[in-house]
Amino acid sequence: MNDHTDYDAIVLAGGAARRLGGADKPALSVGGRPLLDRVLAACADAASTVVVGPGRPTARPVVRALEDPPGGGPLAALEAGLRHTTAPVVLVLSADLPFLTAATVHHLLATATATAGGPGPGGGAAPRDGAMLRDASGRDQPLVAAYRSGPLRRELARLRAGHGTLAGLPLRALWAELVLERVPDARSTASFDCDTWEDIDAARARIREHGTVLDEWITAVKAELGIELDVDTAALLDLARDAAHGVARPAAPLTTFLIGYAAGQQGRDVQELTDRAAALANRWAAEAEESGGAARSGGATGDEAKPAE
Protein backbone atom coordinates (compact mmCIF):
# COMPACT_ATOMS: atom_id res chain seq x y z
CA MET A 1 0.00 0.00 0.00
CA ASN A 2 1.04 3.59 -0.60
CA ASP A 3 1.96 4.53 2.98
CA HIS A 4 1.05 8.19 2.42
CA THR A 5 -2.50 7.72 1.11
CA ASP A 6 -5.36 7.40 3.56
CA TYR A 7 -8.49 6.41 1.72
CA ASP A 8 -12.02 5.13 2.13
CA ALA A 9 -13.63 2.76 -0.35
CA ILE A 10 -17.16 2.82 -1.75
CA VAL A 11 -18.35 -0.33 -3.51
CA LEU A 12 -21.54 0.01 -5.55
CA ALA A 13 -23.38 -3.29 -5.19
CA GLY A 14 -26.91 -2.48 -6.33
CA GLY A 15 -28.45 -2.55 -9.77
CA ALA A 16 -31.06 -4.79 -11.34
CA ALA A 17 -28.62 -7.06 -13.27
CA ARG A 18 -31.17 -7.34 -16.09
CA ARG A 19 -28.64 -8.92 -18.44
CA LEU A 20 -28.17 -11.64 -15.83
CA GLY A 21 -31.88 -12.27 -15.56
CA GLY A 22 -32.12 -10.38 -12.27
CA ALA A 23 -29.55 -12.57 -10.49
CA ASP A 24 -27.83 -11.14 -7.40
CA LYS A 25 -24.67 -10.32 -9.32
CA PRO A 26 -22.36 -9.35 -6.40
CA ALA A 27 -23.14 -12.71 -4.78
CA LEU A 28 -22.26 -14.78 -7.85
CA SER A 29 -19.23 -16.98 -7.35
CA VAL A 30 -16.01 -16.77 -9.35
CA GLY A 31 -13.22 -19.02 -8.15
CA GLY A 32 -15.29 -20.10 -5.17
CA ARG A 33 -15.69 -16.54 -3.86
CA PRO A 34 -18.51 -14.04 -4.37
CA LEU A 35 -17.66 -11.21 -6.74
CA LEU A 36 -18.24 -8.72 -3.93
CA ASP A 37 -15.69 -10.42 -1.67
CA ARG A 38 -13.13 -10.45 -4.48
CA VAL A 39 -13.53 -6.68 -4.84
CA LEU A 40 -13.36 -6.15 -1.07
CA ALA A 41 -10.09 -8.09 -0.95
CA ALA A 42 -8.50 -5.62 -3.38
CA CYS A 43 -9.18 -2.68 -1.04
CA ALA A 44 -8.64 -4.45 2.28
CA ASP A 45 -6.43 -1.63 3.63
CA ALA A 46 -9.09 1.08 3.23
CA ALA A 47 -9.74 2.99 6.45
CA SER A 48 -13.46 2.40 5.95
CA THR A 49 -15.35 0.48 3.30
CA VAL A 50 -18.95 1.32 2.41
CA VAL A 51 -21.02 -1.15 0.41
CA VAL A 52 -24.04 0.50 -1.19
CA GLY A 53 -26.81 -1.95 -1.98
CA PRO A 54 -28.96 -4.68 -0.44
CA GLY A 55 -27.54 -6.37 2.65
CA ARG A 56 -25.39 -9.41 1.92
CA PRO A 57 -22.88 -11.38 3.99
CA THR A 58 -19.29 -10.28 3.36
CA ALA A 59 -15.92 -11.78 4.21
CA ARG A 60 -14.90 -8.69 6.18
CA PRO A 61 -16.78 -5.97 8.06
CA VAL A 62 -18.20 -3.11 5.98
CA VAL A 63 -20.49 -0.12 6.44
CA ARG A 64 -23.89 -0.60 4.80
CA ALA A 65 -25.70 2.10 2.83
CA LEU A 66 -28.59 2.32 0.39
CA GLU A 67 -29.33 5.00 -2.18
CA ASP A 68 -32.48 7.08 -1.98
CA PRO A 69 -34.57 6.27 -3.86
CA PRO A 70 -33.55 2.59 -4.12
CA GLY A 71 -32.55 1.83 -7.69
CA GLY A 72 -31.74 5.49 -8.30
CA GLY A 73 -28.59 4.68 -10.24
CA PRO A 74 -24.84 4.96 -9.68
CA LEU A 75 -24.65 8.68 -8.86
CA ALA A 76 -27.35 8.39 -6.20
CA ALA A 77 -25.57 5.32 -4.82
CA LEU A 78 -22.23 7.13 -4.83
CA GLU A 79 -23.69 10.04 -2.89
CA ALA A 80 -25.19 7.61 -0.35
CA GLY A 81 -21.83 5.97 0.17
CA LEU A 82 -19.97 9.27 0.34
CA ARG A 83 -21.99 10.31 3.38
CA HIS A 84 -20.20 7.60 5.36
CA THR A 85 -16.64 8.55 4.38
CA THR A 86 -14.16 10.99 5.90
CA ALA A 87 -10.85 10.22 4.17
CA PRO A 88 -9.34 12.77 1.76
CA VAL A 89 -9.38 10.20 -1.06
CA VAL A 90 -12.26 7.91 -1.98
CA LEU A 91 -11.86 4.74 -4.02
CA VAL A 92 -15.01 4.01 -6.05
CA LEU A 93 -15.57 0.50 -7.36
CA SER A 94 -18.32 -1.60 -8.85
CA ALA A 95 -18.95 -4.96 -7.20
CA ASP A 96 -18.35 -7.10 -10.29
CA LEU A 97 -14.59 -6.86 -10.88
CA PRO A 98 -13.20 -10.39 -10.45
CA PHE A 99 -9.62 -9.52 -11.41
CA LEU A 100 -9.11 -6.24 -9.61
CA THR A 101 -5.93 -6.34 -7.49
CA ALA A 102 -4.50 -4.34 -4.63
CA ALA A 103 -1.67 -3.29 -6.96
CA THR A 104 -4.14 -1.60 -9.33
CA VAL A 105 -5.91 0.05 -6.39
CA HIS A 106 -2.63 1.47 -5.09
CA HIS A 107 -1.64 2.69 -8.55
CA LEU A 108 -4.94 4.57 -8.84
CA LEU A 109 -4.49 6.09 -5.38
CA ALA A 110 -0.94 7.21 -6.09
CA THR A 111 -1.98 8.75 -9.41
CA ALA A 112 -5.01 10.47 -7.90
CA THR A 113 -2.92 12.21 -5.27
CA ALA A 114 -0.09 13.27 -7.59
CA THR A 115 0.00 16.79 -8.97
CA ALA A 116 -1.08 17.54 -12.51
CA GLY A 117 1.19 19.26 -15.00
CA GLY A 118 -0.71 22.55 -15.25
CA PRO A 119 -0.46 25.49 -12.85
CA GLY A 120 -2.85 25.81 -9.96
CA PRO A 121 -4.50 28.97 -8.62
CA GLY A 122 -1.43 29.87 -6.60
CA GLY A 123 0.96 29.36 -9.47
CA GLY A 124 2.16 25.94 -8.32
CA ALA A 125 1.28 22.56 -9.73
CA ALA A 126 -2.46 21.87 -9.62
CA PRO A 127 -3.64 18.73 -7.84
CA ARG A 128 -5.61 16.22 -9.82
CA ASP A 129 -9.18 15.55 -8.82
CA GLY A 130 -8.63 11.84 -9.23
CA ALA A 131 -7.65 8.97 -11.49
CA MET A 132 -9.71 6.38 -13.33
CA LEU A 133 -8.88 3.23 -15.21
CA ARG A 134 -9.11 3.20 -19.00
CA ASP A 135 -9.49 -0.21 -20.64
CA ALA A 136 -7.69 -1.49 -23.71
CA SER A 137 -10.44 -0.27 -26.03
CA GLY A 138 -10.06 3.29 -24.73
CA ARG A 139 -13.22 3.35 -22.62
CA ASP A 140 -13.11 5.21 -19.31
CA GLN A 141 -14.03 3.23 -16.21
CA PRO A 142 -15.43 5.68 -13.62
CA LEU A 143 -16.30 2.80 -11.29
CA VAL A 144 -12.68 1.72 -11.09
CA ALA A 145 -11.36 5.05 -9.90
CA ALA A 146 -9.93 7.08 -7.02
CA TYR A 147 -11.26 10.59 -6.39
CA ARG A 148 -10.22 13.35 -4.04
CA SER A 149 -13.26 13.66 -1.81
CA GLY A 150 -13.50 17.48 -1.91
CA PRO A 151 -13.96 17.82 -5.69
CA LEU A 152 -16.15 14.71 -5.73
CA ARG A 153 -18.55 16.16 -3.15
CA ARG A 154 -18.54 19.48 -4.99
CA GLU A 155 -19.52 17.91 -8.32
CA LEU A 156 -22.24 15.75 -6.84
CA ALA A 157 -23.69 18.83 -5.10
CA ARG A 158 -23.53 20.79 -8.36
CA LEU A 159 -25.37 18.05 -10.22
CA ARG A 160 -28.03 17.76 -7.54
CA ALA A 161 -28.55 21.51 -7.53
CA GLY A 162 -28.83 21.62 -11.31
CA HIS A 163 -31.18 18.67 -11.71
CA GLY A 164 -32.96 18.51 -8.39
CA THR A 165 -31.93 14.87 -8.01
CA LEU A 166 -29.11 12.48 -8.83
CA ALA A 167 -31.45 9.61 -9.62
CA GLY A 168 -31.19 8.48 -13.20
CA LEU A 169 -28.29 10.76 -14.16
CA PRO A 170 -25.53 9.14 -16.26
CA LEU A 171 -22.09 8.58 -14.79
CA ARG A 172 -20.44 10.68 -17.48
CA ALA A 173 -22.08 13.78 -15.96
CA LEU A 174 -19.80 13.38 -12.95
CA TRP A 175 -16.38 13.86 -14.49
CA ALA A 176 -17.23 16.63 -16.96
CA GLU A 177 -15.72 19.23 -14.63
CA LEU A 178 -13.14 17.05 -12.88
CA VAL A 179 -9.41 16.84 -13.69
CA LEU A 180 -8.93 13.09 -13.90
CA GLU A 181 -5.83 11.20 -14.95
CA ARG A 182 -6.45 8.09 -17.05
CA VAL A 183 -4.58 4.98 -15.93
CA PRO A 184 -4.29 2.48 -18.80
CA ASP A 185 -5.40 -1.11 -18.28
CA ALA A 186 -3.58 -2.46 -21.31
CA ARG A 187 -5.03 -5.97 -21.13
CA SER A 188 -8.46 -4.98 -19.75
CA THR A 189 -7.89 -7.27 -16.78
CA ALA A 190 -8.56 -5.10 -13.74
CA SER A 191 -11.43 -3.40 -15.58
CA PHE A 192 -13.04 -6.67 -16.67
CA ASP A 193 -16.59 -6.63 -15.29
CA CYS A 194 -19.34 -9.21 -15.33
CA ASP A 195 -22.51 -7.90 -16.97
CA THR A 196 -23.66 -11.12 -18.66
CA TRP A 197 -23.54 -14.87 -18.06
CA GLU A 198 -20.95 -15.02 -20.84
CA ASP A 199 -18.77 -12.66 -18.77
CA ILE A 200 -19.23 -14.86 -15.69
CA ASP A 201 -18.28 -17.96 -17.69
CA ALA A 202 -15.23 -16.18 -19.12
CA ALA A 203 -14.09 -15.10 -15.65
CA ARG A 204 -14.52 -18.61 -14.28
CA ALA A 205 -12.51 -20.02 -17.17
CA ARG A 206 -9.75 -17.44 -16.83
CA ILE A 207 -8.98 -18.24 -13.20
CA ARG A 208 -8.45 -21.87 -14.18
CA GLU A 209 -5.80 -21.07 -16.76
CA HIS A 210 -2.46 -22.74 -16.22
CA GLY A 211 -0.58 -19.58 -15.29
CA THR A 212 -3.06 -18.38 -12.66
CA VAL A 213 -4.95 -21.33 -11.20
CA LEU A 214 -2.57 -22.07 -8.31
CA ASP A 215 -2.34 -18.47 -7.11
CA GLU A 216 -6.12 -18.14 -7.40
CA TRP A 217 -6.62 -21.35 -5.44
CA ILE A 218 -4.21 -20.36 -2.65
CA THR A 219 -5.86 -16.94 -2.37
CA ALA A 220 -9.28 -18.59 -2.14
CA VAL A 221 -8.11 -21.04 0.53
CA LYS A 222 -6.56 -18.26 2.62
CA ALA A 223 -9.77 -16.25 2.37
CA GLU A 224 -11.88 -19.28 3.32
CA LEU A 225 -9.67 -20.09 6.32
CA GLY A 226 -9.33 -16.46 7.39
CA ILE A 227 -5.54 -16.50 7.38
CA GLU A 228 -2.91 -14.06 6.16
CA LEU A 229 0.18 -15.96 5.12
CA ASP A 230 2.62 -15.10 2.35
CA VAL A 231 3.08 -18.15 0.17
CA ASP A 232 5.85 -18.56 -2.40
CA THR A 233 4.04 -20.98 -4.69
CA ALA A 234 7.12 -21.86 -6.74
CA ALA A 235 9.21 -22.64 -3.64
CA LEU A 236 6.51 -24.86 -2.14
CA LEU A 237 6.06 -26.72 -5.42
CA ASP A 238 9.81 -27.28 -5.63
CA LEU A 239 9.75 -28.59 -2.07
CA ALA A 240 6.84 -30.91 -2.86
CA ARG A 241 8.71 -32.23 -5.91
CA ASP A 242 11.87 -32.87 -3.88
CA ALA A 243 9.91 -34.64 -1.14
CA ALA A 244 8.01 -36.77 -3.67
CA HIS A 245 11.11 -37.78 -5.60
CA GLY A 246 13.56 -38.09 -2.74
CA VAL A 247 11.31 -39.67 -0.11
CA ALA A 248 7.93 -40.91 -1.35
CA ARG A 249 4.95 -39.44 -3.20
CA PRO A 250 2.77 -39.01 -0.07
CA ALA A 251 5.61 -37.01 1.49
CA ALA A 252 4.79 -34.05 -0.80
CA PRO A 253 1.37 -33.03 0.60
CA LEU A 254 2.30 -34.03 4.14
CA THR A 255 5.46 -31.90 4.07
CA THR A 256 3.71 -28.80 2.74
CA PHE A 257 0.99 -29.27 5.37
CA LEU A 258 3.64 -29.34 8.10
CA ILE A 259 5.21 -26.15 6.72
CA GLY A 260 1.88 -24.35 6.99
CA TYR A 261 1.21 -25.76 10.43
CA ALA A 262 4.60 -24.65 11.75
CA ALA A 263 4.20 -21.19 10.24
CA GLY A 264 0.76 -20.78 11.76
CA GLN A 265 1.50 -22.19 15.19
CA GLN A 266 4.96 -20.73 15.68
CA GLY A 267 4.73 -17.55 13.62
CA ARG A 268 7.83 -18.54 11.67
CA ASP A 269 8.79 -17.40 8.18
CA VAL A 270 7.42 -19.69 5.46
CA GLN A 271 10.48 -19.23 3.26
CA GLU A 272 12.86 -20.23 6.05
CA LEU A 273 10.79 -23.32 6.84
CA THR A 274 10.58 -24.23 3.16
CA ASP A 275 14.33 -23.91 2.72
CA ARG A 276 15.01 -26.12 5.73
CA ALA A 277 12.55 -28.80 4.64
CA ALA A 278 13.92 -28.72 1.08
CA ALA A 279 17.45 -29.19 2.40
CA LEU A 280 16.26 -32.16 4.46
CA ALA A 281 14.56 -33.72 1.41
CA ASN A 282 17.75 -33.26 -0.62
CA ARG A 283 19.85 -34.89 2.13
CA TRP A 284 17.38 -37.76 2.25
CA ALA A 285 17.64 -38.25 -1.50
CA ALA A 286 21.44 -38.00 -1.41
CA GLU A 287 21.62 -40.78 1.18
CA ALA A 288 19.49 -43.04 -1.00
CA GLU A 289 21.75 -42.39 -3.96
CA GLU A 290 24.85 -43.09 -1.87
CA SER A 291 23.38 -46.35 -0.60
CA GLY A 292 22.47 -47.41 -4.11
CA GLY A 293 25.97 -46.56 -5.29
CA ALA A 294 27.54 -48.67 -2.56
CA ALA A 295 25.44 -51.66 -3.59
CA ARG A 296 26.38 -51.22 -7.25
CA SER A 297 30.07 -51.01 -6.39
CA GLY A 298 30.02 -54.21 -4.39
CA GLY A 299 29.52 -52.77 -0.89
CA ALA A 300 27.70 -54.96 1.63
CA THR A 301 24.07 -53.94 2.11
CA GLY A 302 20.94 -55.48 3.57
CA ASP A 303 21.17 -59.15 4.46
CA GLU A 304 24.69 -59.39 3.07
CA ALA A 305 25.92 -57.19 5.91
CA LYS A 306 24.42 -59.35 8.65
CA PRO A 307 26.74 -61.69 10.57
CA ALA A 308 26.19 -65.42 10.04
CA GLU A 309 23.77 -67.04 12.48
Side-chain angles (χ1 to χ4, degrees), residues 85-187:
T85 66
T86 58
V89 179
V90 178
L91 180 74
V92 178
L93 304 169
S94 61
D96 61 346
L97 303 165
F99 304 115
L100 181 69
T101 65
T104 298
V105 165
H106 298 160
H107 189 187
L108 284 168
L109 293 168
T111 305
T113 54
T115 54
R128 293 186 176 95
D129 294 327
M132 71 166 68
L133 219 58
R134 174 173 281 174
D135 69 20
S137 69
R139 290 181 301 176
D140 290 335
Q141 302 291 326
L143 297 185
V144 195
Y147 301 90
R148 290 198 300 118
S149 60
L152 181 59
R153 293 178 194 275
R154 181 195 71 217
E155 284 306 300
L156 288 173
R158 181 184 66 82
L159 289 170
R160 176 176 281 282
H163 296 271
T165 181
L166 295 177
L169 292 183
L171 271 172
R172 62 178 177 273
L174 176 64
W175 67 83
E177 302 297 327
L178 295 176
V179 179
L180 300 176
E181 183 76 6
R182 271 56 175 181
V183 174
D185 182 18
R187 300 180 62 187

Side-chain angles (χ1 to χ4, degrees), residues 259 266-279:
I259 294 292
Q266 303 172 14
R268 296 170 64 186
D269 180 66
V270 174
Q271 188 61 58
E272 179 229 339
L273 294 168
T274 301
D275 290 344
R276 294 188 62 174

Side-chain angles (χ1 to χ4, degrees), residues 198-295:
E198 288 77 13
D199 294 335
I200 294 289
D201 290 342
R204 289 171 173 171
R206 186 182 294 190
I207 66 165
R208 288 172 170 78
E209 292 175 354
H210 176 71
T212 58
V213 64
L214 289 178
D215 286 338
E216 285 282 354
W217 170 247
I218 288 172
T219 299
V221 171
K222 290 193 295 184
E224 187 71 18
L225 300 180
I227 59 175
E228 285 294 334
L229 187 67
D230 289 333
V231 177
D232 185 334
T233 305
L236 282 179
L237 288 176
D238 286 344
L239 168 61
R241 179 203 61 206
D242 292 343
H245 291 174
V247 184
R249 283 191 179 276
L254 291 172
T255 304
T256 53
F257 163 76
L258 292 173
I259 294 292
Y261 184 84
Q265 292 293 310
Q266 303 172 14
R268 296 170 64 186
D269 180 66
V270 174
Q271 188 61 58
E272 179 229 339
L273 294 168
T274 301
D275 290 344
R276 294 188 62 174
L280 174 62
N282 289 332
R283 293 198 302 271
W284 191 293
E287 289 175 7
E289 291 177 1
E290 290 172 2
S291 297

Side-chain angles (χ1 to χ4, degrees), residues 42-68:
C43 57
D45 55 357
S48 177
T49 301
V50 185
V51 175
V52 185
R56 304 177 184 87
T58 53
R60 67 178 179 87
V62 298
V63 177
R64 308 285 181 175
L66 192 63
E67 69 272 25
D68 184 20

